[in-house]
Amino acid sequence: MPNPSLLILPGDGIGPEVMAEVRKIIDWYGAKRDLAFDVSEDLVGGAAYDAHGTPLHDDTMARAQEVDAVLLGAVGGPKYDALDFSVKPERGLLRLRKEMDLFANLRPAQCFDALADFSSLKKDVVAGLDIMIVRELTSGIYFGEPRGIIEEGNERVGINTQRYTESEIDRVARAAFELARKRGGKLCSMEKANVMESGILWREVVTEVGKDYPDVALSHMYADAGAMQLCRWPKQFDVIVTDNLFGDLLSDAAAMLTGSLGMLPSASLGAPMENGRPKALYEPVHGSAPDIAGQGKANPIACILSFAMALRYSFDEGAEADRLEGAVETVLAQGLRTADLLGEEGAEPVSTSQMGDAIVDALNASL
Ligand code: IPM
Ligand code: MG
């Protein structure tokens, strides 16, 4: 059997720095666990625009379709703010999601014990929090037609369209039910069926799919009430399934509850390929943080945990994913903190590469 293949797209801002730490982890698995990967690297986002005048070259897109998993750092930065919408760095990421048909975006919001004080919420509200948001990622208002800015009378009108087919709702609902079944057995679906027809259909289809999962307790919430409940008592949730735009907002809110935006990974999964593995792209939830790029201040943990998700969801290496997540918990328990994890009075932060090295040490200690 050939080694599984990984395409690494570090992207912009802190992307390359955090990805360099992931490379250390990947190398460790090859050297110490007999789990070698064929790794190739390419450009995405602003970096691709600088080199090719497009945020994602067709060759890179084709390569992404062939590999077993894509790991992405981050895209975007102020340097590209003035670019035409069609070539902005974000378009590269959106193209990957759309053409790979990565419809199920898994965004865990987990509160690490060592960081519970870091949340803006009271410790008992967040300590032990472990929820999973499943965001639909390839449809809805992000991609619906018609869209654009048109002239109407003597003014311009901005148009976007929320659109969901039954099959799009069905497949993401199934992904969420499957996860809920393996976790706490609860699924909450969020839409705005009180205002939007797409929300009415969403609720109907999710309810219908739920009949195939009698072991999962299904509930429904309007997305605004869901946002409120996430802040009030987030531990009531296990898995949340929602559309593309609500999922974008709710997952940022949920991430911040944990006090550790720099810590949260994500997986974007599509249909199974011929080898049985799902089409997959893994990326940290945080952005490119251009203000601290190139200074060794970035926290590589979200990107490293994204690789842990790859081990679990693409390569069926759940025990190795547990090992890597355990190594992260170990270094946090030892008190290691990158700058983003220090309070006002903060002690000396460790650098991006010191954090990566410490996680490798913890992996060695786990053997
Ligand atoms: C995210 C980001 C993206 C999105 C941007 C960068 C296009 O906010 O992954 O949540 O809106 O989906
Ligand atoms: Mg977002």
Side-chain angles (χ1 to χ4, degrees):
M1 275 261 287
N3 293 335
S5 53
L6 289 175
L7 173 62
I8 294 196
L9 303 172
D12 306 323
I14 60 171
E17 290 162 72
V18 295
M19 203 55 91
E21 302 313 307
V22 178
R23 289 297 282 261
K24 293 179 186 169
I25 308 291
I26 295 172
D27 291 346
W28 184 87
Y29 274 98
K32 299 289 173 71
R33 301 302 298 157
D34 204 16
L35 199 59
F37 294 89
D38 284 339
V39 182
S40 54
E41 199 168 309
D42 211 334
L43 303 172
V44 69
Y49 178 82
D50 288 341
H52 307 300
T54 164
L56 188 73
H57 196 282
D58 289 344
D59 293 348
T60 316
M61 185 66 243
R63 181 88 191 112
Q65 298 281 21
E66 284 160 13
V67 292
D68 291 312
V70 178
L71 302 182
L72 188 137
V75 294
K79 187 179 159 196
Y80 307 104
D81 280 351
L83 285 184
D84 187 74
F85 185 66
S86 63
V87 289
K88 276 201 192 297
E90 292 78 4
R91 304 307 303 174
L93 175 57
L94 292 169
R95 181 175 174 202
L96 281 163
R97 290 175 179 173
K98 185 70 181 172
E99 292 193 20
M100 292 171 75
D101 204 15
L102 305 171
F103 60 87
N105 180 217
L106 279 45
R107 297 190 164 188
Q110 228 182 324
C111 185
F112 295 85
D113 283 345
L115 300 176
D117 281 323
F118 225 78
S119 173
S120 49
L121 298 191
K122 291 196 191 92
K123 190 169 177 173
D124 66 315
V125 177
V126 295
L129 179 70
D130 179 9
I131 61 184
M132 177 73 87
I133 297 190
V134 180
R135 167 190 177 192
E136 198 292 324
L137 201 62
T138 50
S139 184
I141 204 162
Y142 270 58
F143 297 99
E145 301 280 347
R147 64 185 298 164
I149 301 175
I150 62 166
E151 302 278 343
E152 207 174 84
N154 54 3
E155 63 175 352
R156 292 179 305 156
V157 185
I159 299 174
N160 291 91
T161 301
Q162 166 86 335
R163 187 194 138 89
Y164 270 107
T165 64
E166 288 180 289
S167 52
E168 286 168 341
I169 303 168
D170 183 286
R171 64 183 186 171
V172 73
R174 277 181 204 282
F177 275 109
E178 291 291 336
L179 275 168
R181 181 172 262 179
K182 291 192 200 111
R183 291 173 43 104
K186 285 198 297 181
L187 177 64
C188 182
S189 169
M190 297 189 186
E191 27 57 17
K192 277 187 67 74
N194 50 345
V195 183
M196 299 163 73
E197 283 80 0
S198 60
I200 296 174
L201 186 68
W202 183 281
R203 189 175 286 219
E204 277 177 23
V205 174
V206 173
T207 303
E208 196 54 37
V209 172
K211 293 182 184 156
D212 291 342
Y213 297 86
D215 49 324
V216 175
L218 172 66
S219 60
H220 303 273
M221 236 179 235
Y222 297 138
D224 54 345
M228 187 261 282
Q229 291 297 338
L230 265 176
C231 303
R232 192 184 69 84
W233 190 246
K235 283 189 249 182
Q236 71 186 278
F237 298 111
D238 175 19
V239 180
I240 292 172
V241 63
T242 189
D243 76 14
N244 203 340
L245 183 60
F246 293 143
D248 184 40
L249 307 181
L250 293 170
S251 64
D252 262 29
M256 206 57 223
L257 295 181
T258 68
S260 37
L261 192 54
M263 307 277 302
L264 296 174
S266 77
S268 303
L269 306 177
M273 300 184 282
E274 258 169 39
N275 60 15
R277 295 184 175 122
K279 277 261 159 83
L281 179 147
Y282 299 88
E283 56 175 320
V285 169
H286 64 66
S288 61
D291 51 322
I292 58 162
Q295 300 170 34
K297 288 184 184 167
N299 184 350
I301 291 181
C303 208
I304 289 172
L305 290 176
S306 299
F307 178 64
M309 289 188 92
L311 289 172
R312 179 170 290 119
Y313 294 106
S314 282
F315 304 115
D316 213 14
E317 294 282 355
E320 295 301 337
D322 289 345
R323 179 196 300 280
L324 181 51
E325 288 162 359
V328 168
E329 276 179 37
T330 301
V331 301
L332 291 174
Q334 286 165 352
L336 262 73
R337 302 283 184 271
T338 42
D340 57 307
L341 300 177
L342 287 173
E344 289 297 301
E345 75 293 351
E348 248 330 83
V350 299
S351 69
T352 310
S353 68
Q354 284 170 326
M355 183 59 100
D357 291 341
I359 294 171
V360 169
D361 288 345
L363 283 172
N364 280 322
S366 77
L367 291 176

